[in-house]
Amino acid sequence: MKTVVGNLCSPFLLSQLGNSRPCLLKLRTSAASPLFKRSFAAAIKVRAAAYSAVVGVEPTEPVVVQNDGISSNNILACPICYDPFSSSGDPGLSVASVSGSSFQCRTCKKTYFGNETHIDLTTASGAKDYGESKPVSTEMFRTPLVSYLYERGWRQSFTVWGGFPGPEKEFELIKDFLKPVLGGGNIIDASCGSGMFSRLFAKSGLFSLVVALDYSENMLKECYGFIQQEDNFPKENMILVRADISRLPFATSSVDAVHAGAAIHCWPSPSSAVAEISRVLRPGGVFVATTFILDGPFSLIPFQRKIAQRTKQMSGNQLFTSESELQDICQACGLVGFTKVRNGRFVMISATKPI
């Protein structure tokens, strides 16, 4: 048992990790706040800020996000058939309004429910006798203890051993990559953990809707608790969603940006997840992610590739040994304009859905 726990706590397991027919959305609340609509009129060039601890970024061409008619705030869809939910009554979604709400798909006839903290939009939602087993790294982050510790020292330790520039500087870098889509659109904070960056996105005022998404119920409960502790938190432009990263409950081409902080290496299948991200992004939408790269001195380790493969088989964790692996994943999933920032083992990448 001690050996298993030791493996789970290794540096490589430290982070979390559209079709046309309508569905029916019922909201049983009277306090849902309206959310403002967004529009984009010009292309903004991608650039990244330079910091003393972080090297420069390779620039990309300007992009324009296209709006295909789907509201930036009405993006939820059935995770089985991907048909978007249409609203019945007040369409507003917020941290407060999801409690007691129900979402019934007119196509596959399945109903999803919101509880006090989040909306459960996994495909197995509501199943009484069936529970899917996930890789060790995924299940670890579903435990109450790890969820509690995640933002109370665990995530912050990445700055010490992983080269992460710290939440504040990391957030500034993220915003630079997202400049082409800023201006009132929506963003998915995928595998958000306890919502450290989800809350920063919401408080920034740069988005009309922030979706804090994670597979761990306990992580989402921690996120909800942090929100409740903050005075004047903008709950009206944020929702918490439980979902599988490889089966995202959003309409095709409905999302302006997806952020995945220190998460991609924890996904059971990074390529399947990035393919889903590519599906839900609007043309011109941006994907930003951070992870670790084991190159440099680590490349001298004998049988490094086989060790990475065995780690993946045993824990579900992906060990990236080069930046080109991440670029290959993005390109294979139809994303273009790959850019990056490096600092030691830390890397932040960005790619765009073609227009």
Side-chain angles (χ1 to χ4, degrees), residues 164 262-265 289-293 320 326 345-348:
F164 278 60
I264 188 172
H265 52 273
T290 57
T291 187
F292 312 97
I293 301 290
F320 295 107
L326 295 165
R345 292 187 289 274
F346 165 82
V347 63
M348 180 179 290

Side-chain angles (χ1 to χ4, degrees), residues 6-82:
N7 290 335
L8 290 178
C9 294
S10 67
F12 313 120
L13 296 178
L14 282 178
S15 61
Q16 171 72 2
L17 25 40
N19 303 324
S20 58
R21 277 188 271 177
C23 303
L24 179 63
L25 161 63
K26 296 179 180 178
L27 287 172
R28 293 192 290 272
T29 177
S30 60
S33 302
L35 303 172
F36 62 87
K37 296 183 179 180
R38 34 100 28 196
S39 62
F40 297 96
I44 308 176
K45 191 174 183 180
V46 178
R47 62 179 180 85
Y51 296 99
S52 58
V54 184
V55 297
V57 181
E58 300 169 6
T60 61
E61 293 299 318
V63 296
V64 176
V65 174
Q66 297 179 347
N67 190 327
D68 58 5
I70 298 175
S71 167
S72 63
N73 298 321
N74 189 25
I75 62 174
L76 295 182
C78 175
I80 297 175
C81 60
Y82 294 138

Side-chain angles (χ1 to χ4, degrees), residues 59-200:
T60 61
E61 293 299 318
V63 296
V64 176
V65 174
Q66 297 179 347
N67 190 327
D68 58 5
I70 298 175
S71 167
S72 63
N73 298 321
N74 189 25
I75 62 174
L76 295 182
C78 175
I80 297 175
C81 60
Y82 294 138
D83 284 352
F85 294 118
S86 62
S87 61
S88 176
D90 192 339
L93 286 175
S94 69
V95 171
S97 71
V98 298
S99 179
S101 60
S102 64
F103 306 77
Q104 185 178 38
C105 178
R106 290 181 179 175
T107 302
C108 64
K109 308 303 180 183
K110 181 165 181 174
T111 302
Y112 304 88
F113 297 95
N115 56 35
E116 181 183 359
T117 59
H118 63 272
I119 309 167
D120 193 337
L121 293 179
T122 58
T123 54
S125 172
K128 295 181 180 179
D129 301 320
Y130 174 75
E132 291 182 325
S133 59
K134 292 290 185 178
V136 174
S137 58
T138 302
E139 291 299 319
M140 178 178 67
F141 288 101
R142 295 181 69 188
T143 63
L145 177 61
V146 173
S147 299
Y148 176 83
L149 294 175
Y150 187 74
E151 201 169 321
R152 295 175 174 88
W154 188 311
R155 180 60 165 80
Q156 290 84 344
S157 71
F158 295 1
T159 301
V160 177
W161 62 264
F164 278 60
E168 293 77 15
K169 288 186 176 180
E170 193 175 337
F171 185 61
E172 293 302 315
L173 284 171
I174 294 168
K175 288 194 295 183
D176 274 328
F177 276 120
L178 294 178
K179 280 190 175 179
V181 294
L182 296 182
N186 56 51
I187 186 169
I188 311 302
D189 190 17
S191 297
C192 66
S194 55
M196 177 186 294
F197 288 98
S198 304
R199 302 195 308 275
L200 289 174

Side-chain angles (χ1 to χ4, degrees), residues 95 148 151-152 199 203 221-233 235:
V95 171
Y148 176 83
E151 201 169 321
R152 295 175 174 88
R199 302 195 308 275
K203 290 186 291 186
K221 289 178 182 177
E222 287 293 327
C223 180
Y224 182 82
F226 281 121
I227 290 172
Q228 295 300 105
Q229 293 172 14
E230 291 196 39
D231 294 331
N232 301 318
F233 186 90
K235 299 178 182 179

